[in-house]
Amino acid sequence: MTYSLRMSVLVFTLLVFIGSFVAGLLGALTGLGGGVVLVPLLTLVFHVDLRYAIGASLISVIATSSGAAAAYVREGFSNVRIGMFLEVATTFGAVFGAFLATRTPTRWLAIVFGVVLLYSAYLSWRQKGDAPPGGPVNPWSDRLRMSGSFPVNGKEQSYTVHHISGGFATMFGAGTLSGLLGIGSGAVKVLAMDKVMRIPFKVSTTTSNFMIGVTAAASAGIYLHRGYIDPGLAFPVMLGVLAGSLLGAKLLAKARVSMLRTVFTWVILALGVEMIVNGWLGKV
């Protein structure tokens, strides 16, 4: 481990907990799972080795999914059937990505991470409001019983699912990024469901939270086997992200979609630039 020894262990643990709490809050509100903020935070601010940061992030992603996702399912936002169907592709991708990560230099991992964040910010910036419901309805949406409804101002709003094959293929890429970067791939999952499959944004974010734990567990086993999961770092990260995600789950029902997109875009844009610069200069 190479995280900074200039501060005491207690102070370091407390600061990591606070930072992880904020990351978990943002992750729950946007469906990112916390890792997309957490990994750059640990790497750039606390100077944690990138692979250890990814290992701690994967553990926190599992905790987040176990906490926030249960609340989303109970409140009727998550679509469990869609999540389990798409998880088949993401699990295969996660194992493949974790295999690649143990054989890739950290500076290139940082640059890939930054590029993924910038592209996610660009796609999120282009999208205004929920994707329009137009276009041909996929016949498999009803046959696979993926169509559903979610609560809006006390009433149930129905929706159907489009472009199922495109969403399934995209999820393999999302799983690969999860195993490679430890981000739970919530950003790609949300964008795939929101833009490709035209699922309402709140359903996409909550279903993503349900999925990311399974995806992270698939790749965490490889990081654990390689010795990249440190309990002293993973424990405060897990507690902070879990507490933040539980608060985010309570705030989500009343949150405005436009506000979520704005937070999503600016946070990952700034982190993406920082990761690319530091990766290019060899500082991670």
Side-chain angles (χ1 to χ4, degrees):
M1 280 237 9
T2 60
Y3 61 75
S4 176
L5 297 177
R6 288 175 294 183
M7 62 180 77
S8 71
V9 173
L10 180 60
V11 173
F12 176 81
T13 302
L14 181 61
L15 292 177
V16 167
F17 174 82
I18 295 173
S20 301
F21 177 84
V22 175
L25 179 63
L26 288 175
L29 288 173
T30 61
L32 304 180
V36 71
V37 177
L38 185 64
V39 173
L41 177 71
L42 292 175
T43 305
L44 301 175
V45 178
F46 295 104
H47 307 294
V48 175
D49 183 274
L50 182 57
R51 288 198 177 94
Y52 285 94
I54 292 174
S57 174
L58 288 171
I59 298 301
S60 73
V61 167
I62 297 172
T64 303
S65 181
S66 303
Y72 293 147
V73 172
R74 184 172 60 251
E75 294 169 6
F77 286 103
S78 299
N79 190 318
V80 177
R81 185 171 288 274
I82 291 176
M84 295 306 296
F85 175 76
L86 297 177
E87 197 53 48
V88 174
T90 54
T91 299
F92 280 112
V95 173
F96 177 63
F99 175 80
L100 290 179
T102 57
R103 290 162 173 75
T104 304
T106 54
R107 63 178 302 182
W108 287 109
L109 286 177
I111 292 174
V112 172
F113 199 121
V115 171
V116 170
L117 293 181
L118 292 184
Y119 186 63
S120 299
Y122 167 72
L123 292 179
S124 179
W125 174 73
R126 287 183 55 194
Q127 183 75 34
K128 303 295 183 184
D130 279 337
V137 176
N138 193 308
W140 289 99
S141 176
D142 290 330
R143 292 178 187 177
L144 297 176
R145 291 190 289 173
M146 291 185 176
S147 302
S149 63
F150 68 105
V152 178
N153 298 324
K155 298 180 180 179
E156 289 293 314
Q157 179 174 316
S158 300
Y159 61 89
T160 57
V161 181
H162 303 256
H163 307 298
I164 294 176
S165 59
F168 191 84
T170 304
M171 287 299 163
F172 178 81
T176 302
L177 291 175
S178 174
L180 187 65
L181 305 174
I183 59 175
S185 68
V188 180
K189 288 175 180 173
V190 169
L191 292 170
M193 287 187 277
D194 184 34
K195 295 181 67 67
V196 178
M197 303 176 73
R198 296 179 179 273
I199 299 172
F201 189 72
K202 284 189 177 181
V203 177
S204 299
T205 58
T206 54
T207 302
S208 168
N209 262 299
F210 170 76
M211 295 173 62
I212 57 178
V214 182
T215 307
S219 49
I222 295 179
Y223 278 83
L224 182 64
H225 177 70
R226 296 279 182 177
Y228 290 132
I229 294 180
D230 184 334
L233 175 66
F235 189 64
V237 166
M238 180 187 68
L239 291 181
V241 172
L242 180 59
S245 67
L246 291 175
L247 177 60
K250 291 184 178 180
L251 297 177
L252 180 68
K254 298 179 181 178
R256 294 165 49 197
V257 171
S258 59
M259 184 274 289
L260 294 179
R261 291 189 191 281
T262 301
V263 173
F264 174 92
T265 300
W266 286 105
V267 169
I268 61 178
L269 179 64
L271 293 175
V273 171
E274 192 77 7
M275 288 296 283
I276 291 175
V277 170
N278 281 274
W280 186 261
L281 296 177
K283 294 183 178 180
V284 293

